[in-house]
Amino acid sequence: MKNLTSAEKYISYYLSASRARGDLHEKLKKCDRYWEGDTNRPENEFDPASSTNIVHANVEGNVANLIEQNISVVAEPVGESDISYAKNIDAILNFILKQNRLIRKMDIHERRREKYGTGILRVTFDPSALSGEGLPVIECPHPSAIYVDPCISDPYKINDAKFVIERIKKSIYWAKENFGEEIASQIKPNFDPAYDGGDEEYMGDGENDWYCHLLVWTREGGELRLVEMSGCGVILRDSGPGFYSCGRYPYFFTPLYFREGSIWGKGDCELLMPLQDLVND
């Protein structure tokens, strides 16, 4: 059996997770079309192509109800010795929420949860924030950008996965600014191994070209490791084992309606599609 290099191994993880997702990407695009009201196109010049968008109204109404409320943190002391620290902890945690503009991110998260059936949050730590003091960073990646070990079929057991990968579209210019021109010049532009053939040639136009940036999180022996790499196999940064002391993946899946045997939930958009078709007809 061939011994794979680290880059080849991580790319194989990405490809296996991509294949296991099946037609998920097309399903998400279909949800977007229904949410935008782009579903009943005219078949001829006499077709009125009526469209009364009930999906958008339902999704946005639920999102508004979920996010139009105050979000704050209250630290509950466990023992008497904790009481004197509670107010300071309250202030720190609410400062973190404010810095992360949580209302805006929850708006995005809840909309995706309503539309696609699953919202995802990523919580990491940026040691360079606040002039080097550091700050927890909350982000809301798109469900189509997350690739999980195919052996996992429960969104609440992500930490049992061998790997979790996030795909981000970055520019060659960004890679040059962050990793140097020598490394950036090795990256194949406009190439994603999950969608393009490995032997195809891609001619780049320059710094405005994009590349597939992968955050490859792996967990072995309870230790977390983060490798940043390009889709063509160029290792850009490797944290080594023990990236976070807790050893837990920084991704949190929140399905709207739990679907048995799948990490991907069911959303209101999918449930309303038959009714939308009936209204349009």
Side-chain angles (χ1 to χ4, degrees), residues 50-66:
S50 62
S51 178
T52 304
N53 195 338
I54 64 171
V55 171
H56 187 278
N58 187 281
V59 167
E60 293 305 312
N62 288 336
V63 171
N65 288 333
L66 288 166

Side-chain angles (χ1 to χ4, degrees), residues 57-79:
N58 187 281
V59 167
E60 293 305 312
N62 288 336
V63 171
N65 288 333
L66 288 166
I67 68 168
E68 287 183 357
Q69 52 186 309
N70 292 325
I71 299 178
S72 61
V73 177
V74 177
E76 292 288 345
V78 177

Side-chain angles (χ1 to χ4, degrees), residues 159 219 222-224 242-250:
N159 284 292
R219 189 166 175 266
E223 292 189 314
L224 201 63
F243 185 66
Y244 286 136
S245 58
C246 67
R248 297 172 62 85
Y249 291 114

Side-chain angles (χ1 to χ4, degrees), residues 37-245:
D38 184 22
T39 56
N40 195 25
R41 297 176 180 177
E43 296 180 0
N44 54 61
E45 59 181 320
F46 303 107
D47 186 354
S50 62
S51 178
T52 304
N53 195 338
I54 64 171
V55 171
H56 187 278
N58 187 281
V59 167
E60 293 305 312
N62 288 336
V63 171
N65 288 333
L66 288 166
I67 68 168
E68 287 183 357
Q69 52 186 309
N70 292 325
I71 299 178
S72 61
V73 177
V74 177
E76 292 288 345
V78 177
E80 282 191 33
S81 60
D82 299 331
I83 295 175
S84 59
Y85 299 102
K87 287 186 177 180
N88 288 339
I89 298 299
D90 275 348
I92 291 171
L93 293 178
N94 282 294
F95 174 78
I96 291 171
L97 296 187
K98 185 177 180 180
Q99 289 295 307
N100 277 280
R101 302 178 183 271
L102 197 62
I103 293 293
R104 179 188 300 174
K105 290 176 182 177
M106 289 306 296
D107 178 73
I108 297 171
H109 173 271
E110 292 303 325
R111 183 170 292 102
R112 287 173 176 168
R113 199 163 71 103
E114 287 284 335
K115 278 203 298 182
Y116 307 136
T118 301
I120 303 173
L121 293 171
R122 167 167 45 86
V123 183
T124 52
F125 186 79
D126 181 4
S128 65
L130 301 178
S131 301
E133 293 296 324
L135 181 76
V137 177
I138 303 171
E139 296 291 351
C140 183
H142 195 281
S144 67
I146 305 300
Y147 298 76
V148 181
D149 180 353
C151 295
I152 303 302
S153 58
D154 187 327
Y156 302 119
K157 294 183 179 179
I158 296 299
N159 284 292
D160 292 341
K162 186 175 183 178
F163 65 87
V164 176
I165 298 173
E166 181 177 349
R167 173 181 48 79
I168 306 172
K169 192 175 183 178
K170 295 281 191 181
S171 68
I172 296 295
Y173 169 77
W174 183 90
K176 187 179 294 185
E177 289 291 301
N178 286 271
F179 303 108
E181 188 166 355
E182 182 180 352
I183 292 179
S185 64
Q186 301 174 39
I187 299 174
K188 181 187 291 187
N190 312 326
F191 172 76
D192 186 333
Y195 299 96
D196 303 310
D199 296 329
E200 295 181 44
E201 290 295 328
Y202 292 84
M203 300 301 294
D205 295 327
E207 293 179 344
N208 291 328
D209 288 313
W210 62 269
Y211 78 96
C212 178
H213 186 88
L214 301 178
L215 303 181
V216 183
W217 302 83
T218 56
R219 189 166 175 266
E220 293 185 16
E223 292 189 314
L224 201 63
R225 182 174 194 158
L226 170 61
V227 173
E228 295 184 61
M229 63 182 295
S230 69
C232 62
V234 178
I235 301 291
L236 304 171
R237 185 183 290 133
D238 187 347
S239 72
F243 185 66
Y244 286 136
S245 58

